[in-house]
Amino acid sequence: MLLILLKSLLVIFMTLILRVLYDTISCYWLTPRRIKKIMARQGVTGPKPRPLTGNILEISAMVSQSVSKDCDSIHHDIVARLLPHYVTWSKQYGKRFIVWNGTDPRLCLTETELIKELLMKHNGVTGRSWLQQEGSKNFIGRGLLMANGQDWHHQRHLAAPAFTGERLKPQGMSTTSCKKGYARHMVECTSRLVERLRKEVGEEGHEVEIGEEMHQLTADIISRTEFGSSFEKGKELYNHLTLLQRLCAQATRHLCLPGSRFLPSKYNTEIKSLKKEVERLLIEIIQSRRDSAEMGRSSTHGNDLLGLLLNEMDSHKNNINDNNNNLHLIMDECKTFFFAGHETTALLLTWTMMLLADNPSWQENVRNEIRDVCGCNRLPSVDQLSKLTLVPETSIPHESSVDSSFPIVRRLLRYDLRFSSPISCLRSVLA
């Protein structure tokens, strides 16, 4: 009897070992080889991948070499500097080619019509990859930017009330509503920054790092917009998220062995510690809002972004598990909006200021228009924004259309896909 039991356990053990061995070989060799052959039959090729690392080492070497020296002048032709591998391989293999991120194939599309078709017609079959979600889970979690399918629709529904036209579109708001909406924080924070810079630069003659100033400005605005009266904790949250973002970005530049994220290394320990501190601050802010509402100090959780998310969550209460899940979602959304509303806007403002500094004629034209519309010593109101024509046409749209904050858009195909052009993709291919 004991012998039979031992034989059965041995069979089960050997079966498990063979299964793991097959899955490993399939993941790291059979599946990539199959995908490579299928795409090659359609005329889509690319640089030869190395075992396990793919083309990661070549990409890192190209980027390091291209950014090792400063730019000679200010210009918009920066693709070859930031993405040298795309420029090199697109010339060598054409407008469609495959790059291997480890064992994951990435189909690179540079044709406008195919990109438009993928994002508009086939948007439902695309999403974020497991690698993208894992790379950002310690930073922004599974917020709206990293959600797929029904999770994305659910989170979008939760966040929708905070981004209605009344709150976001200046032309639909009056001057009085500006004092109650998001624009009030923008005006107050920017006014304080202008006054401080005028004193430091004009009277004392100090040089300032405008990039750092724009980061501080957008962090101040998003802290007040998102957390209202708890903006001081929002600033503290900003400091932790900035450091956490830097650490998570470093993680994407290194080859991680399977299971390495579970090792108690100094790097992993620091990330986990910062993540816990961020979640502690968010829970304190959320609990303070709930306590105020329960004690009758306020009928709602507030009119800022966090308050609107909490109000929307409370209006769809179902059970304890749903509430716990929604609480983690709200924390992830707060981190997501903090990152999305701060980082991209700060970079946009910094680059716009640099372009204005490099083009004195633009500065003079914009100043003259603002004086004509708003007056010499008056702050612009929300009602006056629609009357400004040179400001939006000359600076911001020109800058953002040339230098997008998102030079690369990555999407994972969740199902097999066939384009209208004679090319088909497998669901495991990143486009």
Side-chain angles (χ1 to χ4, degrees):
M1 184 67 182
L2 182 59
L3 183 60
I4 296 176
L5 181 59
L6 291 175
K7 288 183 178 180
S8 300
L9 291 176
L10 181 61
V11 170
I12 295 174
F13 181 70
M14 293 299 297
T15 302
L16 290 175
I17 291 179
L18 291 174
R19 179 65 182 181
V20 171
L21 183 61
Y22 172 78
D23 290 342
T24 302
I25 295 175
S26 177
C27 177
Y28 290 101
W29 189 65
L30 294 179
T31 299
R33 187 183 181 195
R34 179 174 61 89
I35 293 175
K36 187 177 180 181
K37 286 185 176 181
I38 292 176
M39 300 307 294
R41 285 199 295 266
Q42 303 179 73
V44 181
T45 60
K48 184 178 180 180
R50 298 185 182 186
L52 298 181
T53 62
N55 302 119
I56 293 178
L57 299 179
E58 292 93 328
I59 293 174
S60 298
M62 288 182 180
V63 173
S64 298
Q65 182 179 2
S66 66
V67 301
S68 60
K69 298 181 180 179
D70 295 334
C71 293
D72 297 331
S73 60
I74 298 175
H75 57 82
H76 297 287
D77 188 16
I78 59 174
V79 178
R81 176 179 175 85
L82 300 180
L83 306 171
H85 48 290
Y86 280 93
V87 175
T88 301
W89 289 333
S90 62
K91 293 178 180 178
Q92 184 175 354
Y93 300 104
K95 294 184 177 181
R96 309 170 192 171
F97 60 93
I98 284 187
V99 174
W100 293 84
N101 185 53
T103 58
D104 290 324
R106 291 181 175 178
L107 174 64
C108 301
L109 302 176
T110 58
E111 297 162 284
T112 306
E113 291 303 319
L114 281 181
I115 296 173
K116 183 178 179 181
E117 180 182 350
L118 175 67
L119 296 179
M120 298 183 66
K121 184 177 179 181
H122 304 296
N123 187 53
V125 301
T126 64
R128 300 294 182 179
S129 69
W130 179 85
L131 282 176
Q132 288 175 299
Q133 292 177 335
E134 285 297 307
S136 63
K137 73 174 184 178
N138 291 319
F139 174 45
I140 58 176
R142 295 297 175 88
L144 191 61
L145 287 178
M146 290 296 142
N148 290 328
Q150 291 300 319
D151 291 338
W152 181 84
H153 287 284
H154 173 63
Q155 294 178 42
R156 187 172 182 269
H157 179 72
L158 278 178
F163 298 97
T164 58
E166 181 183 355
R167 296 180 178 276
L168 295 179
K169 295 181 180 179
Q171 62 269 24
M173 298 172 62
S174 64
T175 306
T176 56
S177 64
C178 169
K179 297 179 181 179
K180 299 180 181 180
Y182 299 154
R184 173 174 63 90
H185 302 302
M186 300 178 189
V187 172
E188 291 177 354
C189 296
T190 305
S191 298
R192 284 196 297 269
L193 174 65
V194 170
E195 289 299 323
R196 181 170 60 81
L197 291 181
R198 182 181 289 119
K199 180 179 179 180
E200 292 182 2
V201 177
E203 298 179 4
E204 302 176 6
H206 292 169
E207 292 185 357
V208 296
E209 174 55 56
I210 198 64
E212 182 62 29
E213 296 292 346
M214 293 300 103
H215 274 79
Q216 292 294 336
L217 172 63
T218 53
D220 195 12
I221 293 174
I222 196 64
S223 296
R224 296 171 186 272
T225 302
E226 189 165 348
F227 302 113
S229 59
S230 305
F231 69 91
E232 289 295 341
K233 287 189 177 179
K235 289 183 179 180
E236 187 179 354
L237 182 68
Y238 156 74
N239 294 329
H240 291 312
L241 281 176
T242 301
L243 181 55
L244 194 57
Q245 176 193 4
R246 189 178 300 115
L247 291 173
C248 291
Q250 291 174 357
T252 62
R253 301 190 186 105
H254 297 85
L255 178 64
C256 296
L257 298 176
S260 61
R261 65 183 185 275
F262 300 111
L263 298 177
S265 63
K266 180 181 178 181
Y267 173 79
N268 290 337
T269 302
E270 191 172 0
I271 286 183
K272 290 180 180 179
S273 177
L274 281 172
K275 181 183 177 183
K276 288 181 180 179
E277 184 64 19
V278 167
E279 292 179 348
R280 182 190 66 80
L281 288 171
L282 285 172
I283 291 175
E284 284 183 1
I285 297 173
I286 293 172
Q287 192 59 45
S288 175
R289 297 294 181 88
R290 286 180 166 173
D291 291 343
S292 297
E294 291 175 358
M295 295 175 64
R297 298 175 186 171
S298 175
S299 58
T300 65
H301 294 294
N303 292 322
D304 51 22
L305 180 58
L306 175 60
L308 293 171
L309 289 174
L310 289 173
N311 293 335
E312 187 67 18
M313 185 184 75
D314 288 348
S315 65
H316 293 83
K317 282 184 176 179
N318 291 320
N319 53 56
I320 296 178
N321 290 331
D322 285 345
N323 290 336
N324 290 334
N325 291 334
N326 284 335
L327 177 61
H328 284 89
L329 280 179
I330 286 179
M331 289 195 294
D332 288 345
E333 299 301 353
C334 288
K335 292 184 286 185
T336 297
F337 295 139
F338 209 104
F339 165 72
H342 160 254
E343 186 72 14
T344 56
T345 308
L347 293 175
L348 177 69
L349 291 174
T350 302
W351 189 248
T352 302
M353 294 287 286
M354 190 274 296
L355 290 180
L356 288 173
D358 194 51
N359 295 272
S361 60
W362 291 8
Q363 295 183 48
E364 195 60 33
N365 292 336
V366 169
R367 286 195 186 99
N368 291 334
E369 183 185 54
I370 292 177
R371 292 191 188 101
D372 293 339
V373 175
C374 307
C376 293
N377 298 314
R378 295 177 56 191
L379 293 174
S381 66
V382 176
D383 294 333
Q384 294 171 332
L385 294 182
S386 59
K387 300 177 183 179
L388 298 173
T389 57
L390 290 178
V391 172
E393 290 180 4
T394 305
S395 56
I396 295 180
H398 171 78
E399 182 272 322
S400 59
S401 63
V402 175
D403 302 291
S404 171
S405 299
F406 300 96
I408 301 177
V409 178
R410 295 190 179 99
R411 290 293 185 269
L412 172 70
L413 300 183
R414 298 187 291 152
Y415 308 100
D416 292 350
L417 173 65
R418 182 177 294 276
F419 287 96
S420 56
S421 177
I423 179 176
S424 61
C425 301
L426 303 181
R427 60 184 177 182
S428 58
V429 175
L430 286 163

